[in-house]
Amino acid sequence: MAAALALTAGLSAAAAAPASALAAPAPARQPVATGSGGAISTVDPDASRIGLEVLAEGGNAMDAAVAAAAALGVSEPYVAAIGGGGYITYYDARTHRVSTFDGRETAPRAMRADSFVDPATGKALPFDEAVTSGLSVGVPGTVAQWQRALDAFGSRRLGTLLQPSIALADRGFVVDQEFYDETVLNQARFSAIEPTRRLFLPGGAPRPVGSVFRNPDLANTYRELARKGPSWLYGGGLGQEIVKTVRKPPVAADATRTVRPGLMQAGDLAAYRALSPKPTRVSYRGLDVYGMPPDSSGGTTVGEALNIMGNFRLSAKDTVGALHTYLEASKLTYADRARYVGDPAYVKVPTRELLSRGFARERACLIDPAKALTAPVAPGEPDGRYGGCAPAAQGQALPYEGQQTTHMVVADKWGNVVAYNLTIEQWGGSGITVPGRGFLLNNELTDFTLQPPAPGAAPDPNLPAPGKRPRSSMAPTLLLKDGRPRLALGSPGGSTIPTTVLQILLNRLDLGMSLPAALAAPRATQRNTPQVQAEQAFIDRYGAALGARGHQFALFAGPPAGVIGAATALEFVRPGVVQAVAEPSRRGGGSALVVRPAR
């Protein structure tokens, strides 16, 4: 408790410090923490400290998650902001039930299936042009999601939970190598948007490593949001500023980049609602696995793959065989994901059948333990009539999806648990900063299929439509044993998210690794592509043996190249004791903290 009180006192002092004070030195990153009283793991030490402060002061897991998410909007502005959205999977210790909160962005009412098609060519806009545009910006869902989640399970007001992040934005954080590299990656497009250039490229260049990045505009935005509430965004003045920015992007006078205007109107913001759909659920190795349902593909993709893998005996006695099965199950599942999963308000998603054991057996019988299927494979038929193996046919290529999301896990002293993915899509989202507001807008609408299918081709469930939510891969996942939480995990990484979650579960539950080892292990991702993309350490360790079974490997293209995901997870190791885990090295490593460390 003394450690928690000392941390609380230090954070309170930081909150009281004047904006002109120097930022504190970058806090140390700690990838593993075990103890009691509450736990949190995020990619960022400042966000983890702020979330832990809420837990130490008696707040619950949902309170801490919202406070930490607001902090990520300050210190990780290229992946998390109130200009984006996300998904929360939540376990309530009082009722022993799992709930979800869908804050996915929506398309404006003026959007059509061909809105990303250039009429001059009849082809989809080049992806780079589609991303850095008002056309890519969906109606932000984060603030509405925070409020709905707090109304259901929080114990603190949103305005209270924003206060530590106001102090962080005023005081600043120390630029590290990861932040610098992300800025360099975006420098060309950031320089084309005047307020983005001023905020992230002062003097025309990225802030150097070791310098202090303050964001007083965001601090003031959070102050007004704390005072006025979410209606300020959904139908109020902030919403009007967002609409103006989307419809007429503030392009720099000397920019040569084409930045297309968007379609958003004030009514789109006023009509936005965060949702709370029923979670997906499958059983695997005696555990109940809960995830996000469509419009996310995370729950169906992870769940279907686990069902397929459950037809095989997997263990560390044959690690190569287990990895082969994981890769083949992923390949089959991604074929089904592309064909059937979209926003269920617009397309009929066969969620029950995708997660049925009969469909999993039908798909599993295609897996040859000695030989990899040729990808891309065709989708199955989740129609309720399941029999023997149908020959594996050729399918379609994997659509592009942005990589840069973030994930956190939180548990409190009562046993409530949060797994939370939040994002603005690309590193830097659309690249468009709302003038004077200090935050970037998302480019989530590029998660839609930008080119409608040719006449006679299979229907695409993920075409743009008015008010529609684009398909996501985010997969905040909870595992329960006899109604009690056992594991919580998730990762960023766009379409690699489900495979990262799957491989961590394989490592922990089948291969017998500890949770820290399961996260640190080298990764590979098979998303129904001709080649398995992998980290170099995975290729070095398993490439030859898996190659003998027909798998072809390529280094994961990224960005960042050669790095898949940046997971966070926690495990209840015994009653009242939680182990929080973050990445030890990927993307600079994460930050895991507990209120009372175990001795």
Side-chain angles (χ1 to χ4, degrees):
M1 179 59 74
L5 291 174
L7 175 64
T8 301
L11 285 168
S12 298
S20 59
L22 290 175
R29 293 177 183 265
Q30 174 178 292
V32 182
T34 305
S36 59
I40 184 168
S41 178
T42 80
V43 298
D44 179 72
D46 286 311
S48 292
R49 287 196 303 167
I50 285 172
L52 193 73
E53 178 187 26
V54 172
L55 295 172
E57 292 181 342
N60 65 27
M62 192 64 81
D63 301 328
V66 170
L72 288 169
V74 179
S75 56
E76 295 281 331
Y78 301 152
V79 295
I82 59 172
Y87 299 93
I88 296 171
T89 308
Y90 176 80
Y91 172 80
D92 181 53
R94 183 179 62 84
T95 62
H96 309 301
R97 292 181 178 176
V98 175
S99 301
T100 70
F101 297 91
D102 179 340
R104 183 63 159 163
E105 301 86 343
T106 57
R109 287 177 293 183
M111 180 153 278
R112 299 293 181 264
D114 61 355
S115 288
F116 285 97
V117 174
D118 187 342
T121 64
K123 302 292 185 182
L125 295 172
F127 190 76
D128 182 60
E129 187 175 330
V131 166
T132 310
S133 74
L135 197 60
S136 75
V137 181
V139 177
T142 290
V143 173
Q145 180 190 39
W146 286 350
Q147 191 61 62
R148 178 158 188 166
L150 290 172
D151 287 344
F153 295 110
S155 68
R156 305 280 176 90
R157 294 176 58 253
L158 176 59
T160 302
L161 297 171
L162 290 172
Q163 298 308 310
S165 295
I166 293 170
L168 178 62
D170 271 333
R171 185 169 177 143
F173 64 92
V174 177
V175 173
D176 61 12
Q177 188 65 49
E178 183 78 6
F179 187 84
Y180 176 83
D181 291 344
E182 292 169 10
T183 309
V184 170
L185 186 68
N186 282 291
Q187 186 168 354
R189 68 192 193 107
F190 280 6
S191 65
I193 309 296
E194 187 59 42
T196 307
R197 177 194 291 185
R198 289 198 303 267
L199 181 60
F200 297 112
L201 301 169
R207 289 177 173 82
V209 174
S211 64
V212 175
F213 178 22
R214 298 183 180 87
N215 194 341
D217 285 348
L218 182 58
N220 289 332
T221 300
Y222 277 180
R223 284 188 184 96
E224 288 195 61
L225 180 60
R227 186 170 67 254
K228 297 177 180 177
S231 62
W232 181 48
L233 194 159
Y234 301 101
L238 181 58
Q240 293 171 7
E241 293 178 43
I242 290 172
V243 168
K244 180 180 178 181
T245 304
V246 169
R247 295 187 69 86
K248 189 176 180 180
V251 179
D254 60 350
T256 58
R257 177 184 292 267
T258 298
V259 182
R260 294 174 181 258
L263 303 172
M264 192 183 298
Q265 299 178 10
D268 297 315
L269 287 159
Y272 184 86
R273 299 292 183 271
L275 307 177
S276 190
K278 182 180 178 181
T280 61
R281 177 184 175 183
V282 300
S283 294
Y284 188 73
R285 312 306 189 202
L287 298 170
D288 292 320
V289 184
Y290 291 86
M292 282 301 311
D295 46 81
S296 175
S297 66
T300 56
T301 305
V302 170
E304 183 189 343
L306 289 176
N307 280 343
I308 293 171
M309 291 160 59
N311 288 277
F312 301 87
R313 292 185 178 182
L314 309 177
S315 76
K317 294 179 180 179
D318 182 12
T319 298
V320 171
L323 290 169
H324 170 76
T325 302
Y326 148 70
L327 293 172
E328 293 296 275
S330 298
K331 185 184 298 178
L332 294 164
T333 301
Y334 272 74
D336 301 328
R337 165 190 180 272
R339 172 63 183 84
Y340 298 112
V341 180
D343 184 343
Y346 291 77
V347 296
K348 185 176 181 180
V349 183
T351 300
R352 178 185 292 240
E353 293 303 324
L354 287 171
L355 296 177
S356 68
R357 291 188 179 276
F359 184 58
R361 286 192 296 270
E362 189 172 86
R363 299 300 269 160
C365 73
L366 295 173
I367 296 178
D368 182 340
K371 183 179 179 182
L373 291 162
T374 300
V377 299
E381 295 186 17
D383 54 10
R385 300 187 298 273
Y386 307 120
C389 288
Q394 289 295 104
Q396 296 179 337
L398 175 78
Y400 181 80
E401 186 175 336
Q403 305 283 343
Q404 286 68 48
T405 314
T406 191
H407 185 269
M408 73 172 77
V409 288
V410 189
D412 62 30
K413 63 183 178 182
W414 298 283
N416 302 303
V417 183
V418 170
Y420 183 10
N421 264 125
L422 62 157
T423 185
I424 58 172
E425 178 62 358
Q426 300 288 117
W427 266 327
S430 64
I432 301 172
T433 299
V434 181
R437 290 299 172 192
F439 66 89
L440 288 155
L441 293 170
N442 69 83
N443 68 289
E444 296 293 352
L445 301 187
T446 56
D447 270 355
F448 283 125
T449 303
L450 305 187
Q451 179 80 49
D460 190 318
N462 192 41
L463 290 174
K468 189 176 181 180
R469 286 164 154 85
R471 180 175 60 213
S472 170
S473 292
M474 288 183 275
T477 304
L478 300 180
L479 283 76
L480 276 58
K481 176 73 171 178
D482 299 325
R484 308 285 180 174
R486 166 85 178 275
L487 288 165
L489 73 160
S491 177
S495 62
T496 70
I497 292 172
T499 60
T500 296
V501 170
L502 281 166
Q503 193 173 354
I504 291 170
L505 291 177
L506 173 76
N507 291 342
R508 178 71 189 95
L509 302 178
D510 293 303
L511 302 185
M513 298 182 191
S514 67
L515 188 59
L519 260 74
R523 293 182 185 138
T525 179
Q526 171 50 271
R527 294 161 289 160
N528 200 24
T529 54
Q531 292 179 311
V532 178
Q533 293 204 335
E535 296 175 337
Q536 187 62 52
F538 186 96
I539 297 172
D540 293 343
R541 189 177 301 179
Y542 303 112
L546 287 168
R549 303 191 190 202
H551 297 280
Q552 300 178 33
F553 287 90
L555 186 68
F556 180 67
V563 178
I564 300 175
T568 55
L570 62 80
E571 180 174 358
F572 286 80
V573 294
R574 58 182 184 273
V577 178
V578 179
Q579 184 176 68
V581 184
E583 296 283 1
S585 58
R586 289 183 183 93
R587 300 193 189 181
S591 174
L593 297 171
V594 294
V595 173
R596 291 190 295 272
R599 295 185 181 277

